[in-house]
Protein backbone atom coordinates (compact mmCIF):
# COMPACT_ATOMS: atom_id res chain seq x y z
CA UNK A 1 0.00 0.00 0.00
CA UNK A 2 1.21 3.53 -0.82
CA UNK A 3 2.41 5.36 2.33
CA UNK A 4 -0.32 7.60 3.70
CA UNK A 5 -0.27 11.37 3.26
CA UNK A 6 -2.46 13.23 5.74
CA UNK A 7 -3.88 16.59 4.69
CA UNK A 8 -3.62 19.63 6.97
CA UNK A 9 -6.47 19.87 9.46
CA UNK A 10 -9.43 22.16 8.83
CA UNK A 11 -9.51 25.35 10.90
CA UNK A 12 -12.17 27.99 11.40
CA UNK A 13 -11.77 30.70 8.76
CA UNK A 14 -10.30 28.34 6.16
CA UNK A 15 -11.45 28.44 2.55
CA UNK A 16 -13.43 25.56 1.05
CA UNK A 17 -13.41 24.91 -2.69
CA UNK A 18 -16.99 24.17 -3.81
CA UNK A 19 -16.92 21.95 -6.91
CA UNK A 20 -19.15 19.62 -8.92
CA UNK A 21 -16.98 16.74 -10.21
CA UNK A 22 -19.97 14.49 -10.95
CA UNK A 23 -23.61 15.36 -11.55
CA UNK A 24 -24.90 18.81 -12.42
CA UNK A 25 -26.22 21.09 -9.71
CA UNK A 26 -28.73 23.91 -9.21
CA UNK A 27 -28.76 27.39 -7.71
CA UNK A 28 -30.85 26.05 -4.81
CA UNK A 29 -28.21 23.43 -4.02
CA UNK A 30 -25.42 25.98 -4.37
CA UNK A 31 -27.18 28.28 -1.88
CA UNK A 32 -27.63 25.38 0.55
CA UNK A 33 -23.98 24.36 0.20
CA UNK A 34 -22.78 27.91 0.78
CA UNK A 35 -24.95 28.13 3.90
CA UNK A 36 -23.53 24.83 5.18
CA UNK A 37 -19.96 25.97 4.65
CA UNK A 38 -20.47 29.40 6.19
CA UNK A 39 -22.30 27.90 9.19
CA UNK A 40 -19.07 26.06 9.99
CA UNK A 41 -17.15 29.33 10.09
CA UNK A 42 -15.53 28.67 6.71
CA UNK A 43 -15.21 30.68 3.51
CA UNK A 44 -16.48 29.58 0.09
CA UNK A 45 -14.60 29.60 -3.20
CA UNK A 46 -16.73 28.42 -6.09
CA UNK A 47 -15.24 26.41 -8.91
CA UNK A 48 -15.18 28.22 -12.26
CA UNK A 49 -17.34 25.53 -13.87
CA UNK A 50 -19.61 24.83 -10.89
CA UNK A 51 -22.75 25.74 -12.86
CA UNK A 52 -21.89 23.99 -16.11
CA UNK A 53 -24.21 21.31 -17.52
CA UNK A 54 -23.32 18.61 -20.05
CA UNK A 55 -26.00 15.95 -20.22
CA UNK A 56 -26.53 14.96 -16.59
CA UNK A 57 -22.93 15.90 -15.75
CA UNK A 58 -21.62 19.17 -14.28
CA UNK A 59 -19.81 20.15 -17.46
CA UNK A 60 -17.40 18.24 -19.65
CA UNK A 61 -14.66 16.00 -18.30
CA UNK A 62 -12.12 18.73 -19.08
CA UNK A 63 -14.13 21.35 -17.16
CA UNK A 64 -14.63 19.16 -14.12
CA UNK A 65 -10.94 18.22 -14.08
CA UNK A 66 -10.02 21.87 -14.40
CA UNK A 67 -11.95 22.78 -11.25
CA UNK A 68 -10.48 19.87 -9.29
CA UNK A 69 -6.93 20.73 -10.30
CA UNK A 70 -7.43 24.45 -9.69
CA UNK A 71 -8.64 23.85 -6.14
CA UNK A 72 -5.77 21.49 -5.32
CA UNK A 73 -3.31 24.05 -6.72
CA UNK A 74 -4.87 27.08 -4.97
CA UNK A 75 -2.75 27.87 -1.87
CA UNK A 76 -5.73 29.53 -0.16
CA UNK A 77 -7.97 26.44 -0.34
CA UNK A 78 -7.77 23.92 2.53
CA UNK A 79 -10.63 21.61 1.60
CA UNK A 80 -12.41 20.48 -1.57
CA UNK A 81 -16.09 19.80 -0.98
CA UNK A 82 -18.12 18.41 -3.88
CA UNK A 83 -21.64 19.78 -3.90
CA UNK A 84 -23.12 16.35 -4.75
CA UNK A 85 -22.31 12.92 -6.14
CA UNK A 86 -24.56 11.88 -9.00
CA UNK A 87 -22.48 10.30 -11.73
CA UNK A 88 -19.43 11.00 -13.84
CA UNK A 89 -16.50 10.95 -11.41
CA UNK A 90 -15.20 7.68 -12.84
CA UNK A 91 -14.54 9.50 -16.14
CA UNK A 92 -12.06 11.82 -14.42
CA UNK A 93 -9.67 9.17 -13.12
CA UNK A 94 -7.43 8.83 -16.15
CA UNK A 95 -7.07 12.61 -16.45
CA UNK A 96 -6.35 13.40 -12.81
CA UNK A 97 -2.95 14.95 -12.10
CA UNK A 98 -1.94 12.68 -9.24
CA UNK A 99 1.44 14.39 -8.93
CA UNK A 100 -0.31 17.72 -8.31
CA UNK A 101 -2.55 16.14 -5.68
CA UNK A 102 0.43 14.52 -3.97
CA UNK A 103 2.29 17.85 -3.87
CA UNK A 104 -0.70 19.75 -2.50
CA UNK A 105 -2.49 17.41 -0.09
CA UNK A 106 -5.91 18.71 0.94
CA UNK A 107 -9.12 17.43 2.46
CA UNK A 108 -11.56 15.95 -0.06
CA UNK A 109 -14.96 15.13 1.46
CA UNK A 110 -17.97 13.43 -0.11
CA UNK A 111 -19.78 10.15 -0.72
CA UNK A 112 -21.78 8.30 -3.37
CA UNK A 113 -20.17 8.94 -6.79
CA UNK A 114 -17.23 10.67 -5.06
CA UNK A 115 -16.16 7.11 -4.12
CA UNK A 116 -14.39 6.89 -7.49
CA UNK A 117 -12.16 9.86 -6.59
CA UNK A 118 -11.49 8.53 -3.09
CA UNK A 119 -10.34 5.13 -4.31
CA UNK A 120 -8.21 6.44 -7.18
CA UNK A 121 -6.52 9.16 -5.12
CA UNK A 122 -5.75 6.76 -2.26
CA UNK A 123 -4.37 4.17 -4.69
CA UNK A 124 -2.23 6.59 -6.71
CA UNK A 125 -1.09 9.10 -4.08
CA UNK A 126 -1.72 7.69 -0.58
CA UNK A 127 -3.66 10.85 0.34
CA UNK A 128 -6.26 10.30 3.07
CA UNK A 129 -9.62 11.52 1.76
CA UNK A 130 -12.96 11.42 3.54
CA UNK A 131 -16.17 9.50 2.84
CA UNK A 132 -18.85 11.68 4.36
CA UNK A 133 -21.47 14.34 3.65
CA UNK A 134 -21.44 16.32 0.40
CA UNK A 135 -21.63 20.12 0.58
CA UNK A 136 -25.39 20.23 -0.11
CA UNK A 137 -26.23 17.54 2.47
CA UNK A 138 -28.72 18.28 5.24
CA UNK A 139 -26.30 18.11 8.15
CA UNK A 140 -27.72 16.54 11.29
CA UNK A 141 -26.05 17.21 14.63
CA UNK A 142 -24.61 13.69 14.52
CA UNK A 143 -23.18 14.10 11.01
CA UNK A 144 -21.72 17.51 11.84
CA UNK A 145 -20.17 16.36 15.12
CA UNK A 146 -18.35 13.36 13.70
CA UNK A 147 -17.34 15.17 10.51
CA UNK A 148 -15.70 18.01 12.43
CA UNK A 149 -14.11 15.65 14.95
CA UNK A 150 -12.26 13.85 12.16
CA UNK A 151 -11.42 16.92 10.04
CA UNK A 152 -10.50 19.50 12.69
CA UNK A 153 -9.23 17.71 15.79
CA UNK A 154 -6.44 15.20 15.16
CA UNK A 155 -6.46 12.59 17.93
CA UNK A 156 -4.45 9.35 18.27
CA UNK A 157 -7.70 7.46 18.90
CA UNK A 158 -11.35 8.28 18.26
CA UNK A 159 -14.35 5.99 18.72
CA UNK A 160 -17.41 6.63 16.58
CA UNK A 161 -20.70 5.33 18.00
CA UNK A 162 -23.64 4.71 15.71
CA UNK A 163 -26.45 7.29 15.45
CA UNK A 164 -29.29 6.85 17.94
CA UNK A 165 -31.77 8.34 15.48
CA UNK A 166 -31.05 5.53 13.03
CA UNK A 167 -31.78 3.00 15.78
CA UNK A 168 -35.09 4.71 16.49
CA UNK A 169 -36.04 4.65 12.82
CA UNK A 170 -35.37 0.90 12.79
CA UNK A 171 -38.61 0.35 14.72
CA UNK A 172 -40.59 1.13 11.57
CA UNK A 173 -37.82 0.70 8.99
CA UNK A 174 -35.85 -2.42 9.95
CA UNK A 175 -33.01 -1.75 7.48
CA UNK A 176 -31.98 1.20 9.69
CA UNK A 177 -31.15 -1.29 12.46
CA UNK A 178 -27.80 -2.95 13.11
CA UNK A 179 -27.25 -6.65 12.68
CA UNK A 180 -24.10 -8.50 13.62
CA UNK A 181 -23.53 -11.33 11.16
CA UNK A 182 -20.18 -12.35 12.68
CA UNK A 183 -18.95 -11.05 16.02
CA UNK A 184 -15.46 -10.15 17.16
CA UNK A 185 -13.19 -7.27 16.24
CA UNK A 186 -10.90 -6.55 13.33
CA UNK A 187 -8.15 -4.02 12.72
CA UNK A 188 -6.96 -2.67 9.40
CA UNK A 189 -7.11 0.30 7.04
CA UNK A 190 -10.57 1.56 6.13
CA UNK A 191 -11.46 1.30 2.46
CA UNK A 192 -14.65 1.18 0.42
CA UNK A 193 -17.60 3.42 -0.37
CA UNK A 194 -20.60 3.20 -2.65
CA UNK A 195 -21.00 -0.45 -3.68
CA UNK A 196 -21.72 0.15 -7.37
CA UNK A 197 -18.60 2.33 -7.71
CA UNK A 198 -16.36 -0.03 -5.76
CA UNK A 199 -17.55 -2.85 -8.04
CA UNK A 200 -17.16 -0.71 -11.19
CA UNK A 201 -13.48 -0.14 -10.39
CA UNK A 202 -12.71 -3.83 -9.77
CA UNK A 203 -10.12 -5.00 -12.28
CA UNK A 204 -8.95 -1.45 -13.06
CA UNK A 205 -5.78 0.36 -11.88
CA UNK A 206 -7.97 2.20 -9.35
CA UNK A 207 -9.56 -0.83 -7.69
CA UNK A 208 -10.01 -0.92 -3.92
CA UNK A 209 -7.43 -3.23 -2.36
CA UNK A 210 -9.29 -4.36 0.72
CA UNK A 211 -7.05 -7.31 1.54
CA UNK A 212 -6.39 -7.16 5.31
CA UNK A 213 -8.51 -4.03 5.47
CA UNK A 214 -11.90 -3.07 6.87
CA UNK A 215 -14.16 -2.94 3.84
CA UNK A 216 -17.17 -0.63 4.11
CA UNK A 217 -19.97 -0.55 1.55
CA UNK A 218 -23.26 1.31 1.13
CA UNK A 219 -25.91 1.66 -1.56
CA UNK A 220 -29.25 3.34 -2.29
CA UNK A 221 -32.22 2.75 -4.60
CA UNK A 222 -30.98 -0.59 -5.91
CA UNK A 223 -32.79 -3.93 -6.06
CA UNK A 224 -31.30 -6.94 -4.21
CA UNK A 225 -30.40 -8.73 -7.44
CA UNK A 226 -28.15 -5.82 -8.48
CA UNK A 227 -26.56 -5.69 -5.05
CA UNK A 228 -25.92 -9.43 -5.30
CA UNK A 229 -24.27 -8.96 -8.70
CA UNK A 230 -21.91 -6.24 -7.43
CA UNK A 231 -21.08 -8.19 -4.27
CA UNK A 232 -20.32 -11.24 -6.40
CA UNK A 233 -18.08 -9.14 -8.63
CA UNK A 234 -16.04 -8.00 -5.62
CA UNK A 235 -15.90 -11.52 -4.23
CA UNK A 236 -14.65 -12.87 -7.57
CA UNK A 237 -12.12 -10.09 -8.10
CA UNK A 238 -10.59 -9.94 -4.61
CA UNK A 239 -12.54 -12.13 -2.20
CA UNK A 240 -14.34 -10.98 0.93
CA UNK A 241 -12.45 -13.63 2.86
CA UNK A 242 -9.28 -11.58 2.27
CA UNK A 243 -10.71 -8.63 4.25
CA UNK A 244 -10.05 -8.19 7.96
CA UNK A 245 -13.69 -7.22 8.47
CA UNK A 246 -16.73 -5.99 6.59
CA UNK A 247 -19.20 -3.28 7.54
CA UNK A 248 -22.28 -2.57 5.47
CA UNK A 249 -23.98 0.79 5.79
CA UNK A 250 -27.68 1.58 5.77
CA UNK A 251 -28.88 0.76 2.27
CA UNK A 252 -32.03 2.82 1.92
CA UNK A 253 -34.70 1.87 -0.63
CA UNK A 254 -32.88 -1.33 -1.54
CA UNK A 255 -35.69 -3.79 -0.97
CA UNK A 256 -37.28 -5.86 -3.73
CA UNK A 257 -38.84 -3.69 -6.45
CA UNK A 258 -41.32 -5.20 -8.89
CA UNK A 259 -39.91 -8.70 -9.19
CA UNK A 260 -42.38 -11.51 -8.63
CA UNK A 261 -39.76 -13.30 -6.56
CA UNK A 262 -36.78 -11.77 -4.79
CA UNK A 263 -34.43 -12.26 -1.89
CA UNK A 264 -34.63 -9.65 0.83
CA UNK A 265 -31.75 -7.24 1.33
CA UNK A 266 -30.56 -9.14 4.43
CA UNK A 267 -30.71 -12.47 2.62
CA UNK A 268 -28.70 -10.98 -0.23
CA UNK A 269 -25.92 -9.74 2.04
CA UNK A 270 -25.93 -13.00 4.02
CA UNK A 271 -25.08 -14.97 0.88
CA UNK A 272 -21.74 -13.17 0.91
CA UNK A 273 -21.20 -12.51 4.62
CA UNK A 274 -22.33 -15.74 6.29
CA UNK A 275 -19.53 -17.91 4.82
CA UNK A 276 -16.86 -15.53 6.18
CA UNK A 277 -14.81 -16.08 9.31
CA UNK A 278 -14.25 -12.36 9.94
CA UNK A 279 -16.33 -9.76 11.80
CA UNK A 280 -19.22 -8.54 9.65
CA UNK A 281 -22.03 -6.14 10.52
CA UNK A 282 -24.84 -4.49 8.57
CA UNK A 283 -26.60 -1.23 9.40
CA UNK A 284 -23.62 1.00 10.21
CA UNK A 285 -24.37 4.75 10.15
CA UNK A 286 -22.96 5.38 6.69
CA UNK A 287 -24.68 5.80 3.35
CA UNK A 288 -27.29 7.94 1.65
CA UNK A 289 -28.77 8.92 5.00
CA UNK A 290 -28.97 12.07 7.08
CA UNK A 291 -27.14 10.66 10.12
CA UNK A 292 -23.86 9.46 8.65
CA UNK A 293 -20.38 9.59 10.11
CA UNK A 294 -17.23 10.51 8.20
CA UNK A 295 -14.72 7.79 7.30
CA UNK A 296 -11.08 8.65 6.57
CA UNK A 297 -9.96 6.38 3.73
CA UNK A 298 -6.81 4.40 4.38
CA UNK A 299 -6.60 5.21 8.09
CA UNK A 300 -6.09 2.29 10.47
CA UNK A 301 -9.13 1.46 12.59
CA UNK A 302 -10.75 -1.26 14.67
CA UNK A 303 -14.22 -2.54 13.85
CA UNK A 304 -15.94 -3.91 16.98
CA UNK A 305 -18.87 -6.03 15.86
CA UNK A 306 -20.06 -6.60 19.43
CA UNK A 307 -20.07 -2.96 20.56
CA UNK A 308 -21.01 -1.88 17.03
CA UNK A 309 -18.43 0.89 16.93
CA UNK A 310 -15.52 1.96 14.78
CA UNK A 311 -12.37 3.28 16.47
CA UNK A 312 -9.84 5.27 14.46
CA UNK A 313 -6.36 4.33 15.65
CA UNK A 314 -4.57 7.37 14.25
CA UNK A 315 -5.30 10.96 13.34
CA UNK A 316 -6.61 11.47 9.83
CA UNK A 317 -5.28 15.03 9.42
CA UNK A 318 -1.99 16.67 10.29
Amino acid sequence: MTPLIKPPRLRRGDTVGLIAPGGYTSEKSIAKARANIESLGLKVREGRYLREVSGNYAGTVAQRLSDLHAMFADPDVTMLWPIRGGSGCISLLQGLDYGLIRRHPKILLGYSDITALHLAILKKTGLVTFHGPVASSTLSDYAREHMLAVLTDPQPSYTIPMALENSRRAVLQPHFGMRTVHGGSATGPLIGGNLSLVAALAGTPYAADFRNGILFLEEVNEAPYRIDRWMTQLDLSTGFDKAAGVMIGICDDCGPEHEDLSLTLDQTFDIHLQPLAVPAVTGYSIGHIRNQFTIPMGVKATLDAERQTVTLLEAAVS
Side-chain angles (χ1 to χ4, degrees), residues 208-237:
D209 184 0
F210 54 83
R211 293 172 297 177
N212 301 312
I214 297 172
L215 174 65
F216 67 93
L217 299 167
E218 60 84 22
E219 196 45 87
V220 67
N221 296 332
E222 298 290 355
Y225 77 89
R226 286 195 288 270
I227 287 176
D228 181 41
R229 183 171 63 224
W230 292 324
M231 293 288 284
T232 301
Q233 185 176 358
L234 290 177
D235 209 8
L236 291 172
S237 62

Side-chain angles (χ1 to χ4, degrees), residues 36-318:
N36 277 341
I37 294 167
E38 290 166 357
S39 74
L40 298 172
L42 304 166
K43 301 171 187 173
V44 184
R45 181 158 301 174
E46 293 184 4
R48 178 179 177 183
Y49 299 109
L50 178 64
R51 291 171 173 80
E52 290 295 318
V53 178
S54 178
N56 69 326
Y57 306 124
T60 65
V61 168
Q63 288 171 329
R64 288 178 280 140
L65 280 171
S66 178
D67 273 1
L68 260 171
H69 290 153
M71 292 302 181
F72 270 109
D74 189 331
D76 294 329
V77 171
T78 301
M79 169 175 158
L80 284 72
W81 204 355
I83 193 164
R84 60 168 297 198
S87 60
C89 287
I90 196 169
S91 300
L92 308 186
L93 304 188
Q94 283 188 298
L96 278 178
D97 185 341
Y98 295 102
L100 171 73
I101 294 170
R102 193 181 297 110
R103 293 191 302 272
H104 302 280
K106 298 180 180 185
I107 292 167
L108 172 66
L109 172 67
Y111 74 111
S112 193
D113 197 57
I114 310 303
T115 293
L117 299 178
H118 291 319
L119 293 177
I121 289 172
L122 179 64
K123 191 82 170 274
K124 297 297 185 181
T125 73
L127 176 64
V128 174
T129 61
F130 299 83
H131 181 280
V134 291
S136 64
S137 290
T138 299
L139 295 175
S140 69
D141 291 342
Y142 174 88
R144 184 187 298 255
E145 174 190 348
H146 295 294
M147 178 182 76
L148 291 177
V150 172
L151 299 182
T152 69
D153 187 20
Q155 297 290 333
S157 178
Y158 178 64
T159 298
I160 306 171
M162 298 306 102
L164 289 177
E165 186 177 317
N166 292 337
S167 299
R168 295 188 187 106
R169 288 188 67 175
V171 174
L172 297 177
Q173 297 173 283
H175 66 282
F176 272 83
M178 298 197 68
R179 188 172 62 95
T180 298
V181 181
H182 291 293
S185 64
T187 297
L190 290 159
I191 189 163
N194 180 253
L195 173 58
S196 62
L197 268 297
V198 179
L201 290 176
T204 74
Y206 315 102
D209 184 0
F210 54 83
R211 293 172 297 177
N212 301 312
I214 297 172
L215 174 65
F216 67 93
L217 299 167
E218 60 84 22
E219 196 45 87
V220 67
N221 296 332
E222 298 290 355
Y225 77 89
R226 286 195 288 270
I227 287 176
D228 181 41
R229 183 171 63 224
W230 292 324
M231 293 288 284
T232 301
Q233 185 176 358
L234 290 177
D235 209 8
L236 291 172
S237 62
T238 301
F240 293 125
D241 60 338
K242 306 294 194 305
V246 180
M247 60 178 183
I248 306 295
I250 294 169
C251 299
D252 206 14
D253 291 325
C254 288
E257 293 179 335
H258 308 295
E259 299 82 16
D260 291 333
L261 294 171
S262 174
L263 296 175
T264 66
L265 182 63
D266 284 348
Q267 287 171 330
T268 301
F269 281 126
D270 283 353
I271 290 172
H272 303 279
L273 301 181
Q274 284 284 10
L276 302 181
V278 301
V281 183
T282 68
Y284 263 68
S285 298
I286 52 175
H288 289 65
I289 53 173
R290 188 165 176 265
N291 292 282
Q292 61 168 301
F293 63 89
T294 295
I295 300 180
M297 299 277 284
V299 162
K300 196 172 184 181
T302 294
L303 166 69
D304 190 324
E306 308 297 338
R307 295 172 57 214
Q308 298 177 333
T309 58
V310 179
T311 301
L312 308 181
L313 301 179
E314 56 182 314
V317 291
S318 60

